[in-house]
Amino acid sequence: MALSAEDVARLAALARLDLTNAECAELAPELDVILTSVAAVGEVAGPDVPLMTHALPLVNVMRDDEVRPSLPREVVLAGAPDVEEGRFRVPQILSED
Amino acid sequence: MMTELMEFNEVLEHFDPALGLEVHVELSTASKMFCGCSTEFGAEPNTQVCPVCLGLPGALPVVNAKAVESAIRIGLALGCEIAPWGRFARKNYFYPDMTKNFQTSQYDEPIAFDGRVEVEVDGESYVIEIERAHMEEDAGKLTHVGATGRIHGADYSVIDYNRAGMPLIEIVTKPILGTGAKAPQVARAYVALLRDLMRALDVSDVRMEQGSLRCDANVSLAPKGSAELGTRTETKNVNSLRSIERAVTFEMRRQAAILAGGGRVLQETRHFHEGDGSTSPGRSKEEAQDYRYFAEPDLVPVAPSKEWIEELRASLPEPPAARRKRLAAAWEVDEKTMAAIVAAGALELIEATVAAGASPQSARKWWLSELARRANEAGVELEDLGVNPADVAATQELVDKGELTDKLARAVFDGIIAGEGSPTEVVERRGLRVVSDEGALGEAIDSVIAASPDVAEKVRGGKVQAVGALIGQVMKAMHGQADAARVRELLLERLGVG
Amino acid sequence: MSELITKSASELADLLADGQIKSVELTRAHLEQIQAVNPKVNAFLHVDADGALAAAADSDARRARGEVGSALDGIPIAIKDNFCTTGMPTTCGSRMLEGWVPPYDATAVQRLKEAGLVILGKTNMDEFAMGSSTETSAFGPSRNPWDLERVPGGSGGGSSAAVAACLTPLALGSDTGGSIRQPGAVTGTVGVKPTYGGVSRYGVVAMASSLDQPGPVTRTVLDSALLHEIIGGHDPMDSTSIAQSLPALADAAQRCDVRGLKVGVVKEFGGEGYEPDVEARFAEAVQWLQDGGAEVVEVSCPHFEYALAAYYLIMPAELSSNLARFDAVRYGLRLGDDGRNGMEAVTAITRGQGFGKEAKRRLIIGTYALSSGYHDQFYGSAQKVRTLVAGDFDRAFAQCDVLVSPTTPTVAFKLGERTGDPMAMYKADLCTIPSNLAGNASASFPIGLSAAGLPVGLQVIAPPMADDRCYQVGGFIEAKVESDTGPLLAKAAPIVGSKAVW
């Protein structure tokens, strides 16, 4: 499949990672080796095999609709890089949701 | 630059519209979707958050059973199948209003799917097929700080995560075709139907102005008679019934103008502007979205039993349309009056007043006129006015017995609203009883006849309708505390035409 | 010098119960050992001496009033740095969370506190548990007490090194692909990965949610069982927590009897890539079991050869999503906020510089495995392999009560030996990964040394919720090793400055 540095850059953007060109170039062949060696999974798994997304077959784990105490606001904001009037402050957002 | 628009009628000569509506309903559970934080509206910023909804490292979600129950009831009310087994999924994308940078949602295993509802526009019925209804969580609230107050040109933004993790049900229609000129009204009627349905189910406050019901409208046009759908646009967060109608109308006219000019409609997200009813494009994304959905490993599948589903089905309220039809027939009112009753939020109130013994006609009269006016003046919903259906029925009973006139009844409502107690208590306290002392009434009548000999002569001469003026004067003399019907009776008797 | 710090937690509990020692004294002895040895092994990232001494004093006061909280009240313990702890930083070995103090305790930590254990501090780990050697920690690698030039395994190398070098009698770990068992094997300690859902994950910073499982790290089998009984059991805060009580683990650990037990040797675990010394020690251990009356059979698990590949897709996929929350908004590091960069750039810069190389590698792989066009081929196929691996286990457990294998193909490798070769590093978890995929119970117990004097571990695997069988086999093996040669850890060359006396 030969992953290129450009592929790495595209994936890095999806993962919101700022990688240098040198990093992308270095990672590409490494990732290629890994992906080549894990591609074997496609060989054994036939179309009739179900996906196992959970380790155990539990279902219907729910809680009652009861209000529990929230955290005090000063605790909520204590670890924040930037705060303004009880809210988390962030630099201007360029993209839309 | 002015957007070019085609006249609406002309649009329909050349194009068939297709709609797709995505409605988000915020559930009125006490706690959030995956944690115990309160969902109360209007709290101080970031005071209703915990490790789970704040997405702190290590925190894990647990599903709110009431939200699942509501989702199933909504699904059933929309005529959907309920999935016997379904997982939650993570929708992965970065946005600062999301605490985990993925939204816990449902992807290819929604809890409800393949439903249908009917809406009526101008006496014609339209079937709207529901593709799916699924559970998900809301995001936090961003406020953009800067000259514009919008995301464009903001200096920075601040975030309140109180709304993060609130339970949402997203209801998605299949493409709605064949609505022609009625497309905008069908869109509006559909959202109104959902609103009524949610209210009847008691699963959401459905306050569009508070965002507890939000609509994204997909609109596309195809050349008339074409089997293929055109390129669609998605107008986001249209937050009133009127806006939905306007947004769809605008998009139809805008797209038609582009297509007629040989252009191509861009598939994009658009914003609606309340002011002039227009839409404008959102900012395009830097990279194509790839949500990388996968089954949420921190939550186990929801597998509602057949018994549970049937139990919930049995507890469903009567569908709003059927209920309205039934009540309209029982009350002998036409469609238009019924629409006015619903619009005033008086349906339940009138129903309860009738149940308390009043006639449908009197119940409707009080709620739609006198009480609606007062609610309007006070700026409150009718149901929050402080007058309950039993009060209205009891007051009407006093009127029927001749103990109150309509005018006195209004004073009784004033007293009830002022917190003076039950109708009989207000009557006592304010001394509002009709004067049935025929002596005092007789004196008043005699002096009115004496004071208006011309009118009296007309009545004697056979112009019976002229007695109205005399009745008015008698009532005035009695300060309203007389039964007008009795006054008329006595007047006619004395004037020899009784 | 201290003989206290080489004792097991259960022995220390007896001494506390008899009033022969006080928790404060015991805690101080361990703090002194930490001070003396930690600079050499780098097992602890944070030591809370004041908090530990205060907790120890509370324990002594409780005991004086006759209100003992649990069998391990007053015993010191160390906690892997991916468990949330109030009052102590939780960094996960990453710059991203440097200095972050969580506002809540993980359920396991809360249970330790309720049981009266004395928390000494937080132990080193590979960054966000991504590694098999602790070399990806942003705060430097931990070292193997048997040979300071070798790794103590990973990701929980800090916990295993701390226990092996007697800095603490007990520690907590978390195991996603072997991060408790593999460090246990290469440091000559006991490590147990409970059944998935047996110990709450609430408050344990997630790497791969469907694979992660917290568990005990100790020097003896009974200590692991006692600790497991305290931290385990249903937790309503974790939807994947099993709502039934644990089997009697401490009883099983003390049974020392394997008669009639059906033991399956997985034939796929061996051969190429396995060191001869590891295979030799393993064969001896199997022989012990047979001599002890167990019935040994060979079983085949043909899909295990694909387990590593499936794991290296599922794990990065889940972690790429779990680690998305580190975005420089609500907590942790923020870089690049110079007034010109927008939020998107600030998040990307922070993540680009805040995560180490292995983290970035896995974030990219995970993103790739889930991305449109590759999702079914990679992530989907991996989840199918998971089904096949679980099926292999089902068939094996239809024949056997437990399965055994070497815990690791090799003994501890040298620092730096595999950092340039990711696939070689990943292979350290070859034997341990299948249990994470299937969610069953699995443990590593020391069985002896290689010719070079480095520890070898035996992995014992039991069906879900049959964790007691691991302890039963572990207790038997431990008794055999001790009766033959004495405690294995006593054979390690003492670290200069160590106060441990065996």
Side-chain angles (χ1 to χ4, degrees):
Chain A
M1 67 209 80
L3 208 62
S4 68
E6 291 70 35
D7 293 332
V8 174
R10 182 182 60 80
L11 292 165
L14 260 183
R16 203 148 286 185
L17 282 171
D18 186 35
L19 299 185
T20 61
N21 292 340
E23 272 181 303
C24 291
E26 190 188 340
L27 277 168
E30 282 178 13
L31 297 178
D32 215 44
V33 169
I34 297 167
L35 288 170
T36 306
S37 50
V38 297
V41 293
E43 297 163 12
V44 279
D48 53 330
V49 181
L51 269 62
M52 181 171 169
T53 54
H54 292 74
L56 296 173
L58 302 173
V59 293
N60 291 336
V61 177
M62 303 181 205
R63 63 182 174 82
D64 292 338
D65 181 27
E66 280 162 12
V67 174
R68 292 165 52 107
S70 297
L71 290 170
R73 182 155 77 177
E74 62 275 15
V75 171
V76 169
L77 300 171
D82 199 0
V83 165
E84 183 174 290
E85 290 172 3
R87 295 173 171 89
F88 294 88
R89 182 180 158 147
V90 296
Q92 59 172 316
I93 301 163
L94 300 175
S95 62
E96 280 179 1
D97 180 4
Chain B
M1 194 188 76
M2 276 292 292
T3 310
E4 276 199 54
L5 300 175
M6 185 185 279
E7 281 307 314
F8 191 71
N9 289 337
E10 200 187 332
V11 174
L12 298 156
E13 284 169 27
H14 305 291
F15 301 103
D16 289 327
L19 300 174
L21 299 166
E22 292 169 25
V23 172
H24 286 88
V25 175
E26 196 159 85
L27 298 178
S28 55
T29 51
S31 64
K32 291 185 179 180
M33 185 75 212
F34 300 117
C35 67
C37 285
S38 169
T39 56
E40 194 77 34
F41 184 80
E44 285 291 302
N46 296 307
T47 55
Q48 288 171 181
V49 291
C50 72
V52 178
C53 57
L54 201 53
L56 291 187
L60 297 172
V62 185
V63 174
N64 184 338
K66 181 80 185 294
V68 175
E69 184 189 292
S70 297
I72 295 173
R73 292 180 71 228
I74 290 170
L76 291 172
L78 295 171
C80 290
E81 303 275 319
I82 303 302
W85 190 89
R87 287 172 287 208
F88 285 90
R90 293 188 184 180
K91 182 181 183 181
N92 293 286
Y93 66 101
F94 282 86
Y95 210 71
D97 61 1
M98 287 205 304
T99 57
K100 298 163 294 175
N101 287 312
F102 60 78
Q103 182 191 32
T104 308
S105 180
Q106 293 190 291
Y107 180 48
D108 47 3
E109 295 164 357
I111 188 150
F113 55 95
D114 286 353
R116 74 195 286 278
V117 292
E118 265 180 64
V119 296
E120 217 164 89
V121 172
D122 297 341
E124 228 173 299
S125 184
Y126 295 86
V127 171
I128 294 178
E129 289 185 292
I130 306 294
E131 181 170 302
R132 57 188 283 149
H134 72 252
M135 300 179 274
E136 60 182 35
E137 58 179 340
D138 211 343
K141 189 173 167 20
L142 281 167
T143 305
H144 305 295
V145 182
T148 60
R150 303 178 68 101
I151 189 165
H152 299 258
D155 297 325
Y156 62 94
S157 301
V158 292
I159 318 172
D160 167 17
Y161 290 111
N162 283 350
R163 204 179 58 189
M166 297 267 243
L168 294 179
I169 303 296
E170 181 175 343
I171 303 165
V172 183
T173 66
K174 290 184 179 159
I176 305 165
L177 308 169
T179 56
K182 298 289 164 59
Q185 284 161 278
V186 168
R188 175 190 178 131
Y190 168 70
V191 178
L193 170 80
L194 289 189
R195 189 193 60 179
D196 294 345
L197 203 58
M198 299 308 139
R199 219 173 252 163
L201 290 166
D202 195 22
V203 292
S204 170
D205 298 336
V206 285
R207 298 199 180 211
M208 293 188 79
E209 75 284 1
Q210 284 181 8
S212 55
L213 189 148
R214 312 196 281 266
C215 180
D216 300 339
N218 290 278
V219 177
S220 68
L221 294 181
K224 227 169 167 46
S226 160
E228 272 175 52
L229 293 180
T231 305
R232 66 187 167 83
T233 61
E234 181 179 17
T235 306
K236 289 277 205 188
N237 287 325
V238 193
N239 287 342
S240 76
L241 294 180
R242 181 168 169 261
S243 303
I244 287 159
E245 200 173 333
R246 293 169 82 203
V248 171
T249 306
F250 185 90
E251 268 307 289
M252 285 172 65
R253 295 181 59 196
R254 185 186 70 85
Q255 293 182 16
I258 293 170
L259 295 170
R264 283 174 48 197
V265 174
L266 287 179
Q267 182 168 344
E268 63 186 356
T269 296
R270 298 183 69 85
H271 301 292
F272 179 71
H273 306 287
E274 293 283 351
D276 60 358
S278 69
T279 69
S280 65
R283 199 178 302 201
S284 61
K285 303 206 164 68
E286 284 171 46
E287 71 261 2
Q289 285 294 353
D290 183 346
Y291 293 124
R292 292 159 285 141
Y293 282 100
F294 71 99
E296 167 58 278
D298 286 329
L299 292 169
V300 304
V302 173
S305 67
K306 278 204 177 98
E307 293 73 37
W308 192 28
I309 294 170
E310 289 317 312
E311 195 185 310
L312 293 176
R313 194 194 301 277
S315 76
L316 286 184
E318 187 181 10
R323 176 160 176 245
R324 262 181 236 169
K325 263 189 194 144
R326 174 175 60 79
L327 291 175
W331 299 347
E332 296 175 335
V333 297
D334 59 16
E335 238 173 72
K336 207 174 152 193
T337 311
M338 202 51 172
I341 289 170
V342 171
L347 193 71
E348 284 78 12
L349 296 167
I350 294 173
E351 193 181 19
T353 306
V354 171
S359 70
Q361 193 198 358
S362 58
R364 197 174 83 231
K365 178 186 75 184
W366 289 123
W367 285 112
L368 281 191
S369 58
E370 201 55 36
L371 296 170
R373 183 177 57 77
R374 277 158 221 246
N376 196 28
E377 281 166 12
V380 297
E381 294 293 326
L382 200 49
E383 61 188 351
D384 300 329
L385 188 61
V387 179
N388 64 46
D391 294 335
V392 176
T395 305
Q396 180 60 37
E397 196 187 339
L398 293 174
V399 174
D400 290 343
K401 282 201 236 161
E403 292 180 27
L404 287 179
T405 59
D406 278 7
K407 188 176 172 198
L408 288 173
R410 285 179 214 137
V412 170
F413 291 132
D414 286 337
I416 294 169
I417 292 167
E420 293 168 18
S422 70
T424 45
E425 284 165 354
V426 175
V427 167
E428 286 305 319
R429 193 168 302 183
R430 297 198 171 191
L432 297 176
R433 208 169 288 280
V434 166
V435 176
S436 51
D437 177 349
E438 304 252 326
L441 194 54
E443 278 172 34
I445 287 171
D446 290 343
S447 52
V448 166
I449 291 172
S452 312
D454 309 354
V455 181
E457 205 45 49
K458 273 186 196 166
V459 176
R460 281 196 191 94
K463 290 192 84 175
V464 176
Q465 66 269 37
V467 80
L470 300 179
I471 295 170
Q473 288 178 50
V474 174
M475 292 304 287
K476 196 171 171 193
M478 296 299 292
H479 304 289
Q481 282 173 281
D483 179 348
R486 181 70 187 140
V487 170
R488 179 188 164 90
E489 215 171 274
L490 290 171
L491 271 168
L492 294 179
E493 203 177 288
R494 300 227 173 168
L495 295 171
V497 286
Chain C
M1 302 309 277
S2 171
E3 290 182 15
L4 270 187
I5 60 173
T6 55
K7 292 190 187 307
S8 71
S10 62
E11 289 171 314
L12 293 169
D14 289 343
L15 294 176
L16 285 167
D18 293 350
Q20 294 184 44
I21 57 167
K22 295 264 187 255
S23 175
V24 167
E25 172 193 352
L26 185 59
T27 301
R28 202 164 271 137
H30 283 99
L31 289 169
E32 284 168 10
Q33 175 74 345
I34 292 170
Q35 202 167 20
V37 175
N38 197 54
K40 300 202 171 58
V41 294
N42 196 29
F44 277 84
L45 292 179
H46 177 84
V47 179
D48 182 18
D50 293 345
L53 288 168
D58 285 349
S59 171
D60 288 335
R62 252 194 320 274
R63 196 175 289 278
R65 292 195 303 271
E67 300 166 4
V68 180
S70 73
L72 299 179
D73 196 329
I75 306 290
I77 186 164
I79 297 175
K80 191 176 179 182
D81 206 25
N82 58 348
F83 287 73
C84 286
T85 47
T86 53
M88 267 185 270
T90 295
T91 69
C92 298
S94 181
R95 238 192 117 192
M96 198 59 110
L97 278 179
E98 194 168 1
W100 181 61
V101 180
Y104 76 110
D105 280 322
T107 297
V109 172
Q110 195 185 330
R111 289 183 179 178
L112 292 181
K113 287 181 176 175
E114 282 162 10
L117 280 87
V118 172
I119 299 171
L120 295 169
K122 307 294 288 289
T123 57
N124 198 9
M125 56 188 282
D126 281 295
E127 183 175 20
F128 287 107
M130 291 181 248
S132 306
S133 64
T134 74
E135 290 168 293
T136 72
S137 168
F139 309 108
S142 297
R143 287 161 186 270
N144 193 324
W146 291 80
D147 176 352
L148 296 176
E149 293 311 307
R150 289 176 188 268
V151 302
S155 66
S159 280
S160 64
V163 167
C166 301
L167 277 59
T168 176
L170 304 170
L172 289 187
S174 67
D175 189 312
T176 306
S179 286
I180 289 175
R181 291 162 289 162
Q182 180 259 7
V186 301
T187 58
T189 56
V190 175
V192 178
K193 183 202 90 70
T195 298
Y196 183 87
V199 176
S200 172
R201 293 185 294 118
Y202 189 74
V204 183
V205 180
M207 172 158 86
S209 308
S210 76
L211 305 166
D212 294 344
Q213 184 54 210
V217 175
T218 65
R219 287 191 293 271
T220 72
V221 179
L222 177 57
D223 284 1
S224 271
L226 293 170
L227 181 52
H228 189 159
E229 286 180 347
I230 287 173
I231 59 174
H234 183 241
D235 176 16
M237 297 298 282
D238 175 355
S239 302
T240 61
S241 170
I242 297 169
Q244 68 186 67
S245 49
L246 298 169
L249 306 176
D251 287 354
Q254 295 173 95
R255 204 168 303 154
C256 289
D257 184 357
V258 293
R259 279 175 299 174
L261 199 72
K262 281 192 155 185
V263 175
V265 174
V266 184
K267 77 172 185 196
E268 282 78 9
F269 287 139
E272 197 196 325
Y274 287 75
E275 287 178 349
D277 283 3
V278 169
E279 297 208 285
R281 292 294 89 72
F282 173 67
E284 284 164 19
V286 171
Q287 190 59 49
W288 297 340
L289 290 170
Q290 200 153 16
D291 294 347
E295 187 189 330
V296 176
V297 294
E298 190 182 77
V299 295
S300 174
C301 296
H303 298 99
F304 281 16
E305 69 170 294
Y306 301 100
L308 184 76
Y311 175 79
Y312 271 94
L313 289 165
I314 295 168
M315 176 270 293
E318 291 186 11
L319 81 82
S320 72
S321 173
N322 284 330
L323 266 53
R325 70 192 63 199
F326 301 103
D327 61 358
V329 174
R330 292 161 301 280
Y331 44 78
L333 190 69
R334 180 186 286 186
L335 299 173
D337 188 7
D338 58 3
R340 291 194 307 277
N341 285 320
M343 185 68 234
E344 294 80 357
V346 167
T347 299
I349 291 166
T350 304
R351 291 167 62 82
Q353 294 177 26
F355 286 128
K357 188 171 179 186
E358 180 63 17
K360 287 189 255 191
R361 216 180 251 145
R362 296 194 193 190
L363 285 168
I364 300 280
I365 292 177
T367 303
Y368 182 76
L370 289 173
S371 65
S372 95
Y374 301 96
H375 189 286
D376 291 352
Q377 181 189 350
F378 285 98
Y379 183 71
S381 296
Q383 296 287 24
K384 288 180 176 185
V385 167
R386 195 171 180 183
T387 303
L388 298 173
V389 167
D392 282 358
F393 272 121
D394 288 344
R395 278 184 293 280
F397 285 128
Q399 292 174 255
C400 314
D401 299 310
V402 295
L403 302 177
V404 293
S405 77
T407 309
T408 55
T410 70
V411 295
F413 47 87
K414 289 209 159 132
L415 283 159
E417 190 180 313
R418 299 190 185 178
T419 45
D421 184 352
M423 282 315 295
M425 185 71 89
Y426 298 169
K427 280 179 183 159
D429 295 330
L430 201 59
C431 310
T432 46
I433 279 168
S435 283
N436 296 89
L437 293 176
N440 55 32
S442 189
S444 177
F445 305 107
I447 45 173
L449 302 177
S450 68
L454 292 167
V456 174
L458 172 75
Q459 177 173 238
V460 183
I461 306 171
M465 286 314 273
D467 304 47
D468 53 331
R469 293 185 204 167
C470 295
Y471 287 105
Q472 183 189 348
V473 174
F476 174 85
I477 292 283
E478 179 181 63
K480 173 71 181 158
V481 170
E482 294 221 353
S483 74
D484 283 3
T485 63
L488 199 66
L489 281 165
K491 296 190 195 321
I495 295 166
V496 178
S498 170
K499 300 180 184 303
V501 177
W502 284 92

